[in-house]
Amino acid sequence: MAKVPVQFTLNGSEEAEFIDSGTTLLNALRDKIGDTSPKGGCHQGTCGACSVIIDGELRLSCLTLAETCSGAAITTLSGLSESGVLHPLQRAFLDTFATQCGFCTPGMIIAAKVLLDHTPNPSRDEVVEALSGNICRCTGYEPIIQAVLTAARANSQNAA
Amino acid sequence: MALALQTFPTVKDANAALKAAGTRYLGGGTLVVRAANEGDVSVSGLVRSTEPVLSAIAVSGGMARIGASVTMAAIARHPELGALAKAVRAVGGPAIRNMATIGGNLFAPAPYGDFAVALLALDATVSTDNGELPIETFLAGRNDSRAIVTSVSFTLPKAGTFRFLKVSRVKPKGVSVLSIAAVLEQAADGTISSARIALGCMADRPMRARAAEKALLGKTLDRDGIAPALAAATEGTAPITDPIASAWYRAEVLPVHLGRLLLT
Ligand SMILES: Cc1cc2nc3c(=O)[nH]c(=O)nc-3n(C[C@H](O)[C@H](O)[C@H](O)COP(=O)(O)OP(=O)(O)OC[C@H]3O[C@@H](n4cnc5c(N)ncnc54)[C@H](O)[C@@H]3O)c2cc1C
Ligand code: FES
Ligand code: FES
């Protein structure tokens, strides 16, 4: 099958690849580019484990065709920590035991990051709504909600 | 998965490419890419167009025209489409709303198509390069291998006349047990002067509740006034059965939820 070129920014660095037309962004990121932080849970849009940020918006990489992302800026969980220092959301997830098996964690943190980027001090309801497309089979969600609220508080204290 | 995608600058060229067997239009991909991931081999090629009219929202003179590629999230944040916010937010979670298009929602089979239910109550008009169709006619004959929908237009509902309700088992997001949209106008004495009610999941695609609409005319919105409409609510319905609910259950609870919508 004919290969098509795709070019986008991934976590700040330029990526250019030739892929099979119709390849999902999830498969392109994991199998071609080697960023395995987005997880393939369902490939059905249901679990949220494959969540990424495309041009500032939360998207599901399993339902996005890679070639529709040409020219876009993509952020995945791999792009969050800076020179080995965890992002406040990652820190909060560890501190509040919001991650058990960890499979949902990349998607949860990405969805939470989009929320905090737009709403730095969310209410509990806003956190629940923001994570409503992400499934966790382990934690029962409460520790995850607490982690996001904790990270939001930590951010606002740093800003003050 | 082998799905070749072709992108065209104009709707006209994309329409020509859509004629090839096994080819479908790609909106946000939340249904069509999902089907491919699931192993549906009936679709071998996808076509899309980047023509700007597909992503435009125009509101003027009390009318709204929304391009087919506009997402649920874009409708939700549009300042002049606030009346529809509840209906657009009923679709999926935040990531789905950033991807799901209004064009794709028109083709979504039950239990999906919550926003199409709202558009049916609004008596919207669906446009393609071949002309315009009332949404009810469009839905009756919809076929996703035919002409690309370019936009959907409707008269903005007068303040307080549009109501929407979605019943789901998972909060805050979940697939519909059913959804109901209504545009109700009241005369000065409070009686209903015009009613359009649309139902989701009560057939394989959104449908009008004509008998209930008729039964509401001239009535007031109180328990006694709405009783005949509730009694007629399931007339002509053929609800779907799926893992969310059986047809029997949907028919049982429709009058209850219609009552709640009318009395709010
Ligand atoms: C996890 C999940 C949850 C969901 N929850 C909901 C929900 O709560 N409510 C709901 O209503 N839906 C829901 N959906 C279904 C779906 O996301 C929406 O119905 C959405 O609006 C479909 O639009 P799309 O652009 O993604 O469609 P696509 O997948 O791109 O297309 C769907 C079909 O429509 C055709 N099509 C799309 N655009 C056009 C056009 N302009 N002209 C001609 N044909 C076209 C395509 O060829 C295809 O056959 C959900 C889906 C998932 C995966
Ligand atoms: S893998 Fe994309 S939503 Fe589950
Ligand atoms: S920690 Fe296991 S799925 Fe969430």
Side-chain angles (χ1 to χ4, degrees):
Chain A
M1 175 177 263
K3 302 274 182 191
V4 291
V6 286
Q7 192 167 10
F8 47 70
T9 317
L10 176 64
N11 299 322
S13 33
E14 282 293 326
E15 298 287 346
E17 285 285 346
F18 284 98
I19 57 163
D20 290 331
S21 183
T23 304
T24 62
L25 180 62
L26 177 64
N27 289 342
L29 288 174
R30 291 181 59 88
D31 302 341
K32 270 290 200 178
I33 294 169
D35 181 352
T36 54
S37 67
K39 306 297 175 202
C42 65
H43 300 269
Q44 294 290 293
T46 324
C47 75
C50 67
S51 299
V52 298
I53 306 173
I54 303 181
D55 292 334
E57 283 191 349
L58 183 67
R59 301 285 182 91
L60 299 171
S61 61
C62 72
L63 298 182
T64 303
L65 298 188
E67 60 211 276
T68 63
C69 299
S70 273
I74 302 175
T75 305
T76 65
L77 183 76
S78 320
L80 261 56
S81 60
E82 275 174 51
S83 39
V85 180
L86 293 183
H87 185 275
L89 274 165
Q90 292 174 303
R91 186 77 261 155
F93 267 62
L94 282 178
D95 291 347
T96 60
F97 302 98
T99 180
Q100 288 186 25
C101 81
F103 201 80
C104 70
T105 311
M108 289 287 181
I109 292 182
I110 285 294
K113 181 179 187 314
V114 175
L115 170 71
L116 298 189
D117 286 349
H118 295 106
T119 316
N121 283 303
S123 65
R124 189 179 191 285
D125 283 352
E126 285 172 320
V127 175
V128 171
E129 169 63 33
L131 302 180
S132 63
N134 296 70
I135 291 177
C136 175
R137 301 314 307 268
C138 302
T139 63
Y141 299 100
E142 195 53 41
I144 296 178
I145 297 165
Q146 290 312 323
V148 179
L149 292 170
T150 304
R153 272 196 299 274
N155 278 346
S156 61
Q157 273 159 14
N158 288 345
Chain B
M1 181 181 83
L3 260 190
L5 171 68
Q6 292 173 275
T7 302
F8 298 93
T10 65
V11 171
K12 187 166 175 280
D13 291 344
N15 262 326
L18 196 58
K19 295 211 164 68
T23 306
R24 290 285 178 284
Y25 191 75
L26 174 69
T30 59
L31 290 171
V32 82
V33 176
R34 178 162 84 155
N37 286 350
E38 204 174 37
D40 178 351
V41 290
S42 68
V43 178
S44 51
L46 292 172
V47 162
R48 67 171 182 155
S49 169
T50 48
E51 196 167 321
V53 353
L54 294 172
S55 348
I57 300 182
V59 180
S60 73
M63 289 283 295
R65 180 177 289 275
I66 304 179
S69 305
V70 172
T71 62
M72 296 298 128
I75 299 173
R77 59 177 176 255
H78 194 282
E80 288 168 287
L81 299 175
L84 305 180
K86 202 167 170 197
V88 270
R89 289 213 190 91
V91 175
I96 289 286
R97 287 198 288 279
N98 285 336
M99 303 171 69
T101 66
I102 183 171
N105 210 265
L106 289 174
F107 290 91
Y112 298 134
D114 295 310
F115 194 61
V117 172
L119 292 171
L120 179 59
L122 291 164
D123 205 14
T125 300
V126 178
S127 302
T128 68
D129 270 3
N130 299 335
E132 304 197 324
L133 281 180
I135 185 167
E136 202 173 6
T137 319
F138 169 84
L139 286 171
R142 77 177 172 191
N143 175 341
D144 59 9
S145 58
R146 274 207 306 251
I148 296 166
V149 170
T150 50
S151 68
V152 182
S153 53
F154 51 87
T155 307
L156 283 170
K158 290 190 204 105
T161 59
F162 178 76
R163 300 174 185 209
F164 182 86
L165 168 154
K166 168 172 167 173
V167 183
S168 58
R169 295 178 190 272
V170 182
K171 298 279 160 27
K173 170 211 106 134
V175 175
S176 273
V177 170
L178 56 84
S179 51
I180 313 175
V183 177
L184 303 175
E185 291 183 17
Q186 282 164 285
D189 64 356
T191 58
I192 296 291
S193 54
S194 119
R196 282 196 306 269
I197 301 174
L199 308 174
C201 297
M202 299 310 290
D204 67 344
R205 60 197 75 193
M207 61 170 288
R208 288 276 288 273
R210 299 254 181 222
E213 292 174 356
K214 223 159 138 197
L216 268 183
L217 292 178
K219 303 286 184 354
T220 46
L221 289 181
D222 50 43
R223 229 157 244 298
D224 291 340
I226 67 169
L230 302 192
T234 55
E235 225 177 281
T237 62
I240 58 160
T241 287
D242 65 2
I244 306 294
S246 65
W248 173 84
Y249 180 80
R250 286 186 160 105
E252 282 298 301
V253 299
L254 172 66
V256 178
H257 293 294
L258 179 60
R260 285 181 191 160
L261 183 77
L262 294 176
L263 293 179
T264 44

